[in-house]
Amino acid sequence: MIASPSDWAKAGGFHRALSNFTIAPIFEISSGRPFNILSNQDTNNDQSNQTDRPSVLADGTLCVPGTPGCAPLITDGVFTSGSLGRNFGLTHRYMSLDMRVAKLVPIGERLRLELIAEGFNLFNRFNEAAASPFITDVNLFNQRAANGRYFSRPTAAFDPRQFQFGLKLNF
């Protein structure tokens, strides 16, 4: 938070015009959020297709066990579980700059009016909130992070650039 010096209110001209201002920026950056990639098929025969993960071939391609070129569906009488670990899906990183600018205007001895302008996601960056966990979307998206994790088709986004203005009367 940056505030103009309080003694500027007693000065003249340019300093007086810039007195009682407060600027408060918030810059946020974070890595992507992990998620499980799902095969959307019941490959381990647990009667649920909501938790089964795919297998990974030597070249990094994902496949569903039992499909041509992938691990067999049944090995030695046991159904195959995918070889891909948990949380190998990853959304893209998040970055946002929010800013609040406020001007305090004294009105008499007891009243103060605060003029407020706020902006959120000022650079209007697309920030991915969620991605499709399904193997078909991951393979079609065809992007990998430097650490070997997989990106997928975005399915939700955080808010775009927004502004709000307000007046606050303190008495």
Side-chain angles (χ1 to χ4, degrees):
M1 183 174 80
I2 302 168
S4 59
S6 58
D7 60 343
W8 281 12
K10 297 177 183 99
F14 185 68
H15 283 113
R16 185 177 180 118
L18 293 179
S19 69
N20 296 320
F21 264 101
T22 303
I23 299 173
I26 298 174
F27 180 68
E28 186 178 350
I29 185 169
S30 65
S31 61
R33 295 184 174 112
F35 62 90
N36 285 328
I37 298 173
L38 305 174
S39 66
N40 207 25
Q41 295 181 22
D42 185 16
T43 57
N44 62 3
N45 199 30
D46 66 353
Q47 307 305 310
S48 172
N49 64 353
Q50 301 298 311
T51 58
D52 296 10
R53 293 189 296 270
S55 288
V56 183
L57 299 177
D59 64 357
T61 305
L62 299 178
C63 63
V64 177
T67 58
C70 197
L73 184 60
I74 301 173
T75 305
D76 296 327
V78 177
F79 282 89
T80 303
S81 294
S83 62
L84 183 67
R86 293 184 68 234
N87 294 327
F88 253 81
L90 187 66
T91 62
H92 291 87
R93 73 173 180 236
Y94 177 92
M95 285 193 307
S96 181
L97 174 65
D98 301 341
M99 182 84 65
R100 176 185 173 122
V101 178
K103 167 80 170 157
L104 189 64
V105 180
I107 304 172
E109 292 181 23
R110 303 177 90 192
L111 293 175
R112 293 177 303 169
L113 180 66
E114 191 172 3
L115 308 169
I116 303 165
E118 294 176 322
F120 306 96
N121 191 11
L122 289 176
F123 295 123
N124 203 27
R125 183 179 190 277
F126 173 78
N127 286 307
E128 182 179 338
S132 172
F134 301 118
I135 183 176
T136 51
D137 290 326
V138 172
N139 283 338
L140 286 172
F141 202 69
N142 197 26
Q143 282 186 12
R144 290 187 74 181
N147 62 5
R149 294 196 174 181
Y150 297 85
F151 293 116
S152 185
R153 178 180 56 85
T155 58
F158 290 105
D159 290 332
R161 181 187 304 130
Q162 293 182 341
F163 294 101
Q164 70 183 23
F165 303 95
L167 296 172
K168 183 177 174 184
L169 182 62
N170 296 308
F171 54 93

